[in-house]
Amino acid sequence: MEEDQKYLRRAIALAKRGMGWVNPNPMVGAVIVKNRRIIGTGYHAFFGGPHAEINAIENASESVKNATLYVTMEPCSHQGKTPPCTEQIIRTGIRRVVAGMKDPNPLVNGNGLRMLAEAGIEVKSGIEEAAVLKMNEHFVKYIVTGLPFCTLKTAMTLDGKIATIENASKWISGEDSRRYVHELRQKYSAVMAGINTVLYDDPLLNIRRVQKKSKDPLKIIVDSTGKIPLEANVLKINPQLVIIATTEKIKITKKQDLERMGVQVLICPGKDGKVDMGYLMVSLGKMGIDSVMLEGGSTIAFSALMDGVVDKVICFIAPKIIGGADAPSPVGGAGLPGMDDAIGVKDWKFRKMGSDILIEGYKKMSSLPQRR
């Protein structure tokens, strides 16, 4: 058991190298062990590329016959962008397969392990399952529900403000926290912000990591009436990566101007004068977007929480006090009337991030997501 855990942990570490490159597929790592020696390793490096198991087999320093394959997720048994991994595993003569967890994809979900067992291969699953599940929480929600995993990210002062009374917000959080945000963005398929964030902060919403290769996420701006300036920073670099989520209130000339720039304009139904966030998430899921990091501001945060689209909350708290009765807080909107109505956060943890405190947890759900 301890030996299985050791090699699965190595496979998990390998899997994380694919972070941000394999969406909407899961991060998967594989280790091949023979005579208690690692003879091959691999991971899923990019969407559409060879799977971890195949890379590990091809990288093996000797024959994998009678070896044990450790893989973070059950090998696939269906034809997708690549052939079924189970077929090649069976052909190689691997004797034993240990998987971190079953693949929740309805096209697999135990079929891969069953096919291996029927071919005479010893199979085992559920080793380091909690770690594998957390690593692939985006994939698991998306493949089961068809909806993106949504994380609400905020940064506030000790007195609960995200900007001053004049809407100045640079910088509330410290340098270490801001650097970590760019690491977070790499994990997600898309970054989302409300129009007020664009008007007040004019962010780029891209990824800037020192000496690390990155891929810019899709940038989704929720703008119910089409206020976004055509010269906004978010539109200057790769406008084809920008989605403006708006309503029928947008002027047709503005919609045409944005589309000529390469921006995708998504018309959504309105809800209380705002974009219907539930409809938006369904639409993004249909586009193959498996994960969204919602970065601001307070109005869109409240709408997202009320529409039930938030799964996780990440909050940076800076040791600063700015005051102001009218200074915005992380979550605005109409608010909730009583403490019994408060939205709970579970499984939360905190740690120091430079001079700041980072708190993260999961929104309590009244019911499990329904299958699509």
Side-chain angles (χ1 to χ4, degrees), residues 217-250:
L218 290 169
K219 292 166 275 190
I220 304 165
I221 308 302
V222 180
D223 180 7
S224 59
T225 59
K227 292 180 182 177
I228 188 167
L230 297 180
E231 63 275 12
N233 279 333
V234 75
L235 301 179
K236 289 180 179 178
I237 302 174
N238 296 326
Q240 69 274 12
L241 293 179
V242 179
I243 297 173
I244 303 294
T246 186
T247 68
E248 294 289 353
K249 293 179 181 179
I250 189 173

Side-chain angles (χ1 to χ4, degrees), residues 131-149:
V132 177
L133 180 61
K134 182 172 178 57
M135 175 177 70
N136 282 312
E137 59 189 7
H138 298 178
F139 167 77
V140 172
K141 181 189 177 182
Y142 177 70
I143 204 66
V144 171
T145 68
L147 299 172
F149 186 97

Side-chain angles (χ1 to χ4, degrees), residues 107-369:
L107 295 175
V108 186
N109 199 17
N111 288 331
L113 294 176
R114 178 183 55 77
M115 290 176 64
L116 294 174
E118 289 175 351
I121 296 174
E122 179 187 345
V123 298
K124 187 176 182 180
S125 67
I127 306 299
E128 295 294 315
E129 185 172 21
V132 177
L133 180 61
K134 182 172 178 57
M135 175 177 70
N136 282 312
E137 59 189 7
H138 298 178
F139 167 77
V140 172
K141 181 189 177 182
Y142 177 70
I143 204 66
V144 171
T145 68
L147 299 172
F149 186 97
C150 180
T151 295
L152 172 62
K153 189 277 293 182
T154 65
M156 67 180 186
T157 59
L158 278 177
D159 55 338
K161 308 297 183 181
I162 62 171
T164 69
I165 55 173
E166 296 184 356
N167 286 303
S169 61
K170 295 182 179 180
W171 295 102
I172 283 180
S173 56
E175 186 176 337
D176 288 349
S177 296
R178 298 198 301 274
R179 188 181 304 116
Y180 181 61
V181 167
H182 288 275
E183 295 293 331
L184 284 174
R185 286 179 182 173
Q186 175 68 19
K187 294 182 179 182
Y188 290 78
S189 294
V191 173
M192 181 183 292
I195 183 58
N196 287 336
T197 296
V198 174
L199 295 176
Y200 293 132
D201 296 342
D202 200 17
L204 289 167
L205 295 181
N206 60 0
I207 298 176
R208 301 181 293 280
R209 301 195 301 169
V210 179
Q211 296 181 337
K212 287 184 179 180
K213 188 177 179 182
S214 304
K215 62 104 184 75
D216 277 346
L218 290 169
K219 292 166 275 190
I220 304 165
I221 308 302
V222 180
D223 180 7
S224 59
T225 59
K227 292 180 182 177
I228 188 167
L230 297 180
E231 63 275 12
N233 279 333
V234 75
L235 301 179
K236 289 180 179 178
I237 302 174
N238 296 326
Q240 69 274 12
L241 293 179
V242 179
I243 297 173
I244 303 294
T246 186
T247 68
E248 294 289 353
K249 293 179 181 179
I250 189 173
K251 292 181 179 178
I252 187 63
T253 53
K254 186 63 166 288
K255 179 176 182 291
Q256 291 170 343
D257 288 340
L258 289 166
E259 289 174 338
R260 275 192 287 267
M261 296 174 69
V263 175
Q264 180 175 349
V265 180
L266 178 62
I267 305 295
C268 303
K271 187 175 182 180
D272 299 326
K274 310 294 181 186
V275 168
D276 185 329
M277 296 296 291
Y279 178 93
L280 174 57
M281 287 297 174
V282 169
S283 299
L284 296 178
K286 290 178 179 177
M287 295 178 191
I289 298 171
D290 74 326
S291 51
V292 174
M293 186 158 77
L294 175 54
E295 295 204 31
S298 63
T299 301
I300 189 177
F302 184 74
S303 294
L305 287 165
M306 289 301 96
D307 286 349
V309 304
V310 174
D311 298 288
K312 188 174 185 178
V313 177
I314 295 178
C315 181
F316 297 91
I317 303 176
K320 300 172 183 177
I321 297 173
I322 56 177
D326 296 326
S329 62
V331 181
L336 297 169
M339 287 305 299
D340 289 341
D341 303 304
I343 297 168
V345 177
K346 64 178 182 177
D347 300 332
W348 60 273
K349 60 182 181 180
F350 69 92
R351 59 189 166 112
K352 207 166 182 299
M353 182 69 65
S355 60
D356 304 331
I357 296 294
L358 169 61
I359 299 178
E360 61 179 303
Y362 296 85
K363 193 184 103 173
K364 289 183 179 178
M365 300 291 181
S366 57
S367 61
L368 293 174

Side-chain angles (χ1 to χ4, degrees), residues 4-167:
D4 287 345
Q5 290 176 315
K6 179 179 74 172
Y7 292 125
L8 244 305
R9 288 169 187 158
R10 175 69 184 277
I12 290 170
L14 286 165
K16 291 179 179 178
R17 296 182 185 180
M19 183 185 74
W21 301 105
V22 299
N23 308 52
N25 282 349
M27 290 178 277
V28 181
V31 173
I32 300 175
V33 177
K34 189 173 183 179
N35 299 323
R36 295 192 171 183
R37 293 180 297 110
I38 293 177
I39 63 169
T41 62
Y43 67 97
H44 187 31
F46 59 92
F47 179 70
H51 288 188
E53 306 94 312
I54 306 307
N55 283 331
I57 290 169
E58 292 182 350
N59 292 336
S61 59
E62 61 183 84
S63 170
V64 300
K65 187 175 181 180
N66 294 323
T68 297
L69 167 67
Y70 293 90
V71 60
T72 54
M73 190 170 288
E74 171 186 10
C76 67
S77 56
H78 67 291
Q79 176 71 46
K81 288 188 174 295
T82 60
C85 293
T86 50
E87 293 180 2
Q88 188 157 345
I89 292 169
I90 292 168
R91 284 197 298 268
T92 60
I94 284 174
R95 178 181 59 83
R96 183 170 179 256
V97 173
V98 180
M101 65 176 285
K102 290 182 179 179
D103 188 340
N105 187 339
L107 295 175
V108 186
N109 199 17
N111 288 331
L113 294 176
R114 178 183 55 77
M115 290 176 64
L116 294 174
E118 289 175 351
I121 296 174
E122 179 187 345
V123 298
K124 187 176 182 180
S125 67
I127 306 299
E128 295 294 315
E129 185 172 21
V132 177
L133 180 61
K134 182 172 178 57
M135 175 177 70
N136 282 312
E137 59 189 7
H138 298 178
F139 167 77
V140 172
K141 181 189 177 182
Y142 177 70
I143 204 66
V144 171
T145 68
L147 299 172
F149 186 97
C150 180
T151 295
L152 172 62
K153 189 277 293 182
T154 65
M156 67 180 186
T157 59
L158 278 177
D159 55 338
K161 308 297 183 181
I162 62 171
T164 69
I165 55 173
E166 296 184 356
N167 286 303

